[in-house]
Amino acid sequence: FGQGFNVEPGAAWVFPAGEGIVLGLAASYQYRGSYTPRSGLPSYDPGDEITGSVGVDIRLSETASLSTDVALTNYSADKFDGNQVYASGNAYWANLQYKQYFREDDLTVMVGVRTKSKGKTSGVSGLVDEKERLEPGRLDLGVSYRRVFNTRVSMTFLIEGRIFENTSLALAGSQV
């Protein structure tokens, strides 16, 4: 398998849990094959990923719903010339979404939190814990309104924001 080839088999299960409540469970595996970054260099093998998630959708009324999801991604270590050089920390994601329909139009309000645990980098005796996480945690906020004019034309108005955790890294505390 060469550079750019990814296999992402996954599975999802949905379970009705009562009047207007649905539970969901999903899992996926992403294989990333090794490749040679430049002629004459040893091969680089980025770590594979395993993701699991669970979610709940609740119908609040005929036109409104509330959804939440929690996901965990585990990364295996990256290897260069057969030696482990980096192991990303686990990624955690949780979000909450409210959706309201107004005939054909709809309003969506979303908030999400993403964070990663510390990873490991290459050291003299193998992989050692990072001093700080390389990727700061973040808060995602979003509001969108889709206006449907007819069966072929609609317009979406969107406001999104991301607020990054304060760390000593370059993106720390950024607001986008």
Side-chain angles (χ1 to χ4, degrees), residues 6 20 51 67 127:
N6 291 319
T51 300
S67 303
L127 293 180

Side-chain angles (χ1 to χ4, degrees), residues 67-85:
S67 303
T68 187
D69 295 290
V70 177
L72 164 67
T73 300
N74 175 269
Y75 304 92
S76 61
D78 294 2
K79 295 178 183 175
F80 184 69
D81 197 21
N83 298 312
Q84 292 185 345
V85 293

Side-chain angles (χ1 to χ4, degrees), residues 10-85:
W13 300 271
V14 177
F15 308 97
E19 186 64 33
I21 299 175
V22 176
L23 303 176
L25 185 63
S28 71
Y29 176 80
Q30 184 174 22
Y31 170 78
R32 295 188 171 158
S34 64
Y35 63 95
T36 302
R38 246 176 30 194
S39 180
L41 290 179
S43 69
Y44 181 75
D45 185 5
D48 301 341
E49 299 177 17
I50 298 173
T51 300
S53 66
V54 62
V56 178
D57 292 339
I58 302 168
R59 185 178 63 207
L60 302 174
S61 70
E62 291 296 318
T63 60
S65 65
L66 188 64
S67 303
T68 187
D69 295 290
V70 177
L72 164 67
T73 300
N74 175 269
Y75 304 92
S76 61
D78 294 2
K79 295 178 183 175
F80 184 69
D81 197 21
N83 298 312
Q84 292 185 345
V85 293

Side-chain angles (χ1 to χ4, degrees), residues 95-110:
N95 72 342
L96 182 65
Q97 176 179 288
Y98 173 78
K99 192 159 202 158
Q100 174 75 50
Y101 291 94
F102 306 95
R103 294 186 184 157
E104 296 85 17
D105 301 348
D106 62 78
L107 170 72
T108 303
V109 179
M110 189 278 298

